[in-house]
Amino acid sequence: MLNFRGEMRRCMVLCVSLLSLWTLCDAQNNGFPPMSFPRAPQQQPRDSTGWRVLRSGDATMTIDTAFGARIVSLKHDGTEAISQLRWPESFGSTFWTSPQSEWNWPPVQEFDKAAYEITEQSDSSLQLRGKVAERFGLRVEKRFVAKGNEKFLITYSIVNEGKEARRVAPWEITRVLNGGTVFFDAPTETLWTAGPNGERLASALTYEESEGAQWYESDEAQANRKMNADAKGWLAWYDGKLLLVRHFTDLSDGQPAPGEAEVQVYVNRGKSYIELECQGAYVQLQPGERIDWCVEWQVANGEDAEKAPQGKRKWLMEKVKEMGN
């Protein structure tokens, strides 16, 4: 029995080592976690000690102040809009600094997973202050405001607390379950995927252009894929029930960080999750300077799209324009 246990232990160590090596290689090739996550139900509830909830009309937004000030839930009339998968890089909405080449992988702990200090809160707002990432001399602050009509305004701030100037851009990453439609306004020629040496290749995701937007219908391909686009200041997702639209500043040529883009869509392999990403301008911050970047979220009931006489896509586009006013 002792020999058997010893052999089993050696086999387990070998398997873990091989899995770690495969994960590292794939993460370096793609820049994102490579594993495919099953859509299993949660086994245990998350620690809700640091949760704070804001309400806007029929929508609620839950922020976990103890875990990266991450948005862990967005519900409309009780229906969840964002991913609730269990793995740290597969749920909720988080914030990073761009470009990713500055830190590679994993995300910076102080921005993505560490606790944030509550500096101000009310029934309709929450302001949070993160820790300084000593490696970069940067601090992230977040302010959430419930505006009414199912809208939330999020202001992300990057503060240079170091002694040297830093070039940086803001980056919001929102994860939804694979199973819906991603759409945004962007010319077809601006869709691209980064090659192994950073060169621009044709988009790894298949889009269809119609009704003045690019449309990606989710699939279950067994490959991690990412697309970049020069969009027009908004990014939307629809799953047959809910419509989530985020508005942000439209960037001009040359404003995104090197190798990055205003809008990015990352699809994890299999039937797992999709990342809806938007970025702000790449700027230089002198010591003591800060950049404030706003993203407006709005969630709505989208069930009428399926039976709209003008067609689903046209209905969705009309709704996006209505929500942008």
Side-chain angles (χ1 to χ4, degrees):
M1 178 63 71
L2 290 176
N3 288 338
F4 174 75
R5 288 180 177 176
E7 290 299 323
M8 286 295 292
R9 185 177 296 110
R10 281 191 287 272
C11 288
M12 290 176 67
V13 169
L14 177 61
C15 289
V16 169
S17 299
L18 290 173
L19 178 60
S20 299
L21 178 60
W22 175 82
T23 300
L24 174 62
C25 292
D26 202 10
Q28 289 175 337
N29 288 336
N30 294 284
F32 284 85
M35 300 191 70
S36 179
F37 302 116
R39 294 181 66 178
Q42 295 184 18
Q43 300 301 313
Q44 296 179 348
R46 292 191 177 93
D47 182 1
S48 61
T49 304
W51 288 12
R52 298 294 184 273
V53 180
L54 297 177
R55 176 175 292 278
S56 177
D58 292 329
T60 58
M61 175 179 282
T62 303
I63 300 100
D64 190 347
T65 65
F67 191 80
R70 185 176 299 195
I71 301 170
V72 294
S73 174
L74 177 72
K75 292 182 178 179
H76 182 281
D77 200 21
T79 301
E80 184 62 65
I82 57 180
S83 171
Q84 298 296 299
L85 293 175
R86 294 296 301 164
W87 295 269
E89 319 302 349
S90 67
F91 76 90
S93 182
T94 188
F95 178 85
W96 301 335
T97 56
S98 178
Q100 186 176 343
S101 58
E102 289 284 317
W103 46 267
N104 195 23
W105 195 262
V108 180
Q109 180 78 10
E110 292 84 354
F111 305 156
D112 186 64
K113 297 181 181 66
Y116 279 56
E117 175 191 2
I118 299 175
T119 58
E120 179 185 323
Q121 63 178 325
S122 69
D123 291 341
S124 60
S125 67
L126 178 67
Q127 187 160 322
L128 304 168
R129 186 171 185 258
K131 299 175 182 178
V132 175
E134 298 295 342
R135 177 182 168 191
F136 305 100
L138 298 175
R139 180 196 304 277
V140 169
E141 298 176 359
K142 304 181 183 182
R143 180 174 177 81
F144 303 86
V145 178
K147 298 181 63 180
N149 197 29
E150 291 75 47
K151 287 185 179 181
F152 299 89
L153 180 65
I154 307 171
T155 302
Y156 298 102
S157 302
I158 304 173
V159 186
N160 186 353
E161 302 278 15
K163 298 180 180 180
E164 300 179 352
R166 300 285 307 193
R167 288 186 65 81
V168 67
W171 184 2
E172 184 186 68
I173 302 91
T174 302
R175 299 169 179 121
V176 297
L177 289 179
N178 186 328
T181 301
V182 180
F183 61 107
F184 52 87
D185 182 4
T188 301
E189 60 271 18
T190 71
L191 308 184
W192 59 281
T193 290
N197 298 312
E199 68 274 23
R200 293 194 174 197
L201 305 177
S203 172
L205 298 175
T206 301
Y207 282 84
E208 181 181 352
E209 186 172 9
S210 70
E211 302 296 341
Q214 301 288 342
W215 303 78
Y216 166 69
E217 303 291 346
S218 59
D219 59 66
E220 300 181 33
Q222 294 301 309
N224 298 331
R225 292 155 294 153
K226 186 170 184 176
M227 179 282 315
N228 305 280
D230 176 16
K232 302 302 178 185
W234 62 271
L235 175 60
W237 174 79
Y238 168 72
D239 70 347
K241 294 182 179 180
L242 297 181
L243 171 62
L244 171 61
V245 182
R246 289 142 69 210
H247 287 91
F248 37 85
T249 302
D250 185 16
L251 301 184
S252 58
D253 291 343
Q255 284 192 297
E260 305 288 350
E262 178 181 325
V263 159
Q264 299 173 310
V265 178
Y266 169 77
V267 180
N268 198 70
R269 64 164 59 105
K271 193 72 171 176
S272 51
Y273 69 95
I274 297 173
E275 291 183 343
L276 310 175
E277 310 174 17
C278 52
Q279 296 198 23
Y282 186 53
V283 300
Q284 179 164 287
L285 294 180
Q286 297 294 335
E289 290 186 337
R290 64 188 290 140
I291 179 176
D292 298 324
W293 180 63
C294 298
V295 182
E296 184 181 79
W297 290 40
Q298 187 171 12
V299 61
N301 187 319
E303 293 180 334
D304 287 346
E306 300 297 330
K307 53 188 177 183
Q310 68 270 46
K312 179 179 75 173
R313 289 184 177 180
K314 189 169 184 178
W315 186 94
L316 288 171
M317 286 298 292
E318 291 173 351
K319 192 68 174 179
V320 167
K321 292 176 182 178
E322 174 189 322
M323 294 165 73
N325 295 327

